Amino acid sequence: MATRAPAPSTSLPIDDEEVDTLTIGRRIRQLRTARGMTLDDLAQAVGRAPSQLSMIENGHREAKLTLLQTIARALECKLDALLDAEPLDPRTALEVSVERAMRGQTFQALGIAPFRVGRSVPDEVLAAMLALQGEIERLREERSATPEEARRANVALRRLMRTQDNHFPELEAEASRVLSAVDHPGGPLTQRAASDIAAHLGFSLHYVPDLPSSTRSIADVKNGRLYLSTGVAKGDPRTAVLQALSSRLLGHGEPTSYDEFLRQRVETNYLTGALLMPEGDVVTALREAKERRAISIEDLRDAYSVSYETAAHRFTNLATVHLGIPVHFLKVHESGTITKAYENDDVNFPTDRLGSIEGQMCCRRWTSRVVFDVDDRFNPYYQYTDTGNGTYWCTARVEQSSEGAHSVSVGVRFDDTKWFRGRDTANRGVSRHAVETCCRRAPVELEAAWRGAAWPNVRTPRTLLATLPTGAFPGVDTTEMYEFLEGHAPS
């Protein structure tokens, strides 16, 4: 026997953001009182019990469409007058907002039972309640991402990246769509092309000397302006422009959790790299280099006029999917702290009890640490490192940042070294960081002589110690940002 499809519901969804039960109920009450009708009068006109209509007016019951049509006829108005999303007056808006807040998680978490907002409650009291509720939510958001939660989010994201071989086809497709829209001919992205992308998205570029110090750029969405520092304009502004535009391209909103914040940041950086170094062109170049057994991160950097880190990131995006080469990426602060990591080649990086790599000390015998002691900063540094999990080859460079020097390294398993330039290096190391005494503990003699007689001031990057995110825009002084926008907005 065939199953009959259920009839479509004639009731309105209670959690519809545009037209909810609270707004509808208040509109019915406003229209009823404006016509001098009591609740009993309306109940008699529509053939329902007064208690039922009271529940509807207070937003506690969802009215079916047929009943709303009957109520509209009784109030001598059109149905649209009841379904309009906008409240009738400021007082009604306050009442609806307070009652909606009382049904939310903040009031429930505080154990405050919902109560009826009578007409005798002053507007100032309702406004104060909403302000307090908003401040409580803000404080809860600021404290929602503990360092442990941040590490868990990093672990989950890295597992996803490993599952996908650090390749996100949907972001590659978005980059291809945007480049096609501005008629990019292929190859490296020029500054003019970056400006064309901005114009395509409805933004004009403005370089200003007073950009807030806590920001890299600010997008004035209302007026279609993208503000960047004049200091960026003196160099290569492409990355700053594209990072700002990537969030708009991906439709990012204010993150509601650290997971979402971290994912947005990764997506923004990925899309920026995909625009600067288009997949089709880079893959063609890498395949040719593999045939010549001359893959080089430096060649990618120079061909596309990007930073070494950007070239290294882009290589990890494409190496496994298009070249069949598992790979690992590591960024290490000069203090020895790992700030970024990715691997799908079974390399054994140090982790905490949650499995997080970021924030751990990199083995002092690993390429990423050894490179800091190399005097030659012009040429790349290559090294083979023997581990308990096999031998790995890495290429590394040191780059400067606002928080000091960082090393960026890319590595592969020994069997895949044959495809890379620099495989003939004589530099070798032995890392046993899985063993406590390799680098996590000092030699017994040194520890005995100095333990208890030394007290260092840690140089760990401050970002690893912060409980991010704090607020909607982590690390950004929003007052400074809004004052900047207000001062620069077109008159």
Side-chain angles (χ1 to χ4, degrees), residues 379-414:
N379 294 300
Y381 176 72
Y382 308 110
Q383 177 179 306
Y384 288 97
T385 306
D386 298 324
T387 76
N389 201 34
T391 298
Y392 291 85
W393 172 91
C394 300
T395 173
R397 272 193 177 275
V398 174
E399 292 188 328
Q400 295 295 325
S401 73
S402 60
E403 293 191 348
H406 281 82
S407 69
V408 176
S409 62
V410 173
V412 296
R413 295 181 299 207
F414 179 83

Side-chain angles (χ1 to χ4, degrees), residues 133-212:
Q133 187 252 0
E135 182 64 10
I136 292 172
E137 288 189 347
R138 185 186 70 82
L139 292 173
R140 289 180 63 192
E141 288 176 359
E142 286 189 352
R143 298 168 184 170
S144 64
T146 64
E148 180 171 326
E149 289 171 329
R151 291 196 297 272
R152 290 185 187 277
N154 268 298
V155 171
L157 181 58
R158 196 175 70 253
R159 287 173 178 166
L160 172 65
M161 294 165 68
R162 187 189 300 124
T163 300
Q164 300 187 181
D165 292 323
N166 202 23
H167 183 263
F168 292 82
E170 66 278 9
L171 297 180
E172 300 286 356
E174 178 65 17
S176 178
R177 184 190 67 78
V178 173
L179 294 173
S180 176
V182 297
D183 296 323
H184 180 58
L189 190 78
T190 63
Q191 291 189 27
R192 175 63 180 272
S195 298
D196 290 343
I197 293 175
H200 173 68
L201 294 176
F203 285 92
S204 57
L205 304 182
H206 301 264
Y207 297 94
V208 295
D210 58 339
L211 191 75

Side-chain angles (χ1 to χ4, degrees), residues 230-252:
T230 51
V232 172
K234 297 176 182 177
D236 182 0
R238 293 178 304 164
T239 298
V241 170
L242 295 176
Q243 284 180 334
L245 297 175
S246 291
S247 290
R248 307 308 307 168
L249 284 166
L250 296 171
H252 287 162

Side-chain angles (χ1 to χ4, degrees), residues 33 82 345 435 446:
T33 56
L82 304 183
D345 58 357
V435 180
L446 285 175

